[in-house]
Amino acid sequence: GAVVSQHPSWVICKSGTSVKIECRSLDFQATTMFWYRQFPKQSLMLMATSNEGSKATYEQGVEKDKFLINHASLTLSTLTVTSAHPEDSSFYICSARETVPVTDTQYFGPGTRLTVL
Amino acid sequence: RKEVEQDPGPFNVPEGATVAFNCTYSNSASQSFFWYRQDCRKEPKLLMSVYSSGNEDGRFTAQLNRASQYISLLIRDSKLSDSATYLCVVNIREGSGNTPLVFGKGTRLSVIA
């Protein structure tokens, strides 16, 4: 199957700093990528839909100025958590859907575990 | 009402047992259905898609009942390695098709030796 990578795998940072997470589709092009967040023992919650060359679409309750998304190419989307606080500590997972063929299958990255002290 | 509902478990079963998970979804416009598996502290991985005719992949059988908006997963001859959280997932494809997946909270399975 298609491969999606995420970097970094985990990060620990101080409160107030910004953290950038990269999501790459390695062997396919992805016009659309999705960013999810998962708190312990909770389900994945969609944060935003990232579209190549246009603005991301954020889910209700997700602050677009805090979670900056850039989808500059067909293989890379980035999520920047700005001025991170302890409540932002979570497991952030991206997924990508192949541009061609158009299917409903999404391929997930391995996730990034963020801990804000 | 939650969009995708699952019994959270945990289901603790002995090796070799047969176990079934159920899932209901609320949006009748849902068009695609999946079971994903998620191991602790890992990303979800696609286990199988679910089709109206039902489908089988080795020890795993998935069923879909559109009228009842109900999806099931049956695991036969459970292995220790089947221990994981099983996520019921639906997709409501609209227009451009850029719709995300909607996840249930997952059902935790522990297979015991």
Side-chain angles (χ1 to χ4, degrees):
Chain A
V3 178
V4 175
S5 71
Q6 261 183 260
H7 178 81
S9 304
W10 57 268
V11 58
I12 302 172
C13 68
K14 291 182 179 178
S15 188
T17 59
S18 294
V19 175
K20 180 189 278 190
I21 303 170
E22 291 186 352
C23 176
R24 291 180 187 274
S25 56
L26 297 186
D27 50 1
F28 66 99
Q29 293 185 333
T31 306
T32 303
M33 293 184 175
F34 302 97
W35 287 97
Y36 295 85
R37 179 167 57 179
Q38 186 177 34
F39 293 106
K41 298 187 179 180
Q42 299 291 315
S43 61
L44 274 77
M45 295 301 295
L46 179 69
M47 298 177 67
T49 302
S50 171
N51 300 299
E52 186 266 337
S54 63
K55 289 183 180 178
T57 304
Y58 290 82
E59 294 300 298
Q60 194 171 15
V62 178
E63 299 174 57
K64 62 180 181 180
D65 294 328
K66 180 169 178 64
F67 298 98
L68 302 179
I69 291 173
N70 185 289
H71 195 152
S73 77
L74 286 172
T75 59
L76 173 64
S77 176
T78 61
L79 169 69
T80 301
V81 183
T82 62
S83 186
H85 291 284
E87 59 265 28
D88 298 323
S89 298
S90 187
F91 191 43
Y92 292 85
I93 308 176
C94 72
S95 71
R97 176 183 278 147
E98 290 179 284
T99 300
V100 178
V102 177
T103 71
D104 292 325
T105 302
Q106 290 185 22
Y107 301 96
F108 285 84
T112 297
R113 195 160 298 280
L114 170 64
T115 301
V116 185
L117 303 176
Chain B
R1 186 181 168 187
K2 294 183 181 127
E3 291 198 60
V4 179
E5 293 205 54
Q6 294 181 252
D7 182 339
F11 285 58
N12 299 313
V13 302
E15 271 188 291
T18 297
V19 61
F21 304 138
N22 303 318
C23 165
T24 57
Y25 59 94
S26 61
N27 193 322
S28 58
S30 301
Q31 297 198 23
S32 305
F33 310 89
F34 309 91
W35 284 101
Y36 276 74
R37 170 194 170 130
Q38 187 174 25
D39 291 289
C40 188
R41 302 173 77 86
K42 299 284 188 182
E43 78 278 19
K45 292 191 175 171
L46 179 65
L47 181 65
M48 59 198 303
S49 301
V50 188
Y51 304 114
S52 297
S53 54
N55 48 302
E56 189 173 307
D57 182 2
R59 298 181 293 108
F60 300 84
T61 302
Q63 296 277 354
L64 166 65
N65 184 320
R66 285 187 184 270
S68 303
Q69 296 181 195
Y70 170 96
I71 305 163
S72 66
L73 176 68
L74 182 79
I75 305 176
R76 290 182 299 277
D77 188 22
S78 301
K79 312 289 184 192
L80 293 176
S81 57
D82 293 334
S83 298
T85 297
Y86 290 83
L87 305 171
C88 178
V89 184
V90 306
N91 179 271
I92 306 165
R93 196 186 320 130
E94 297 169 343
S96 65
N98 290 333
T99 48
L101 300 175
V102 179
F103 287 80
K105 282 195 172 182
T107 299
R108 210 166 92 226
L109 171 66
S110 291
V111 181
I112 306 162

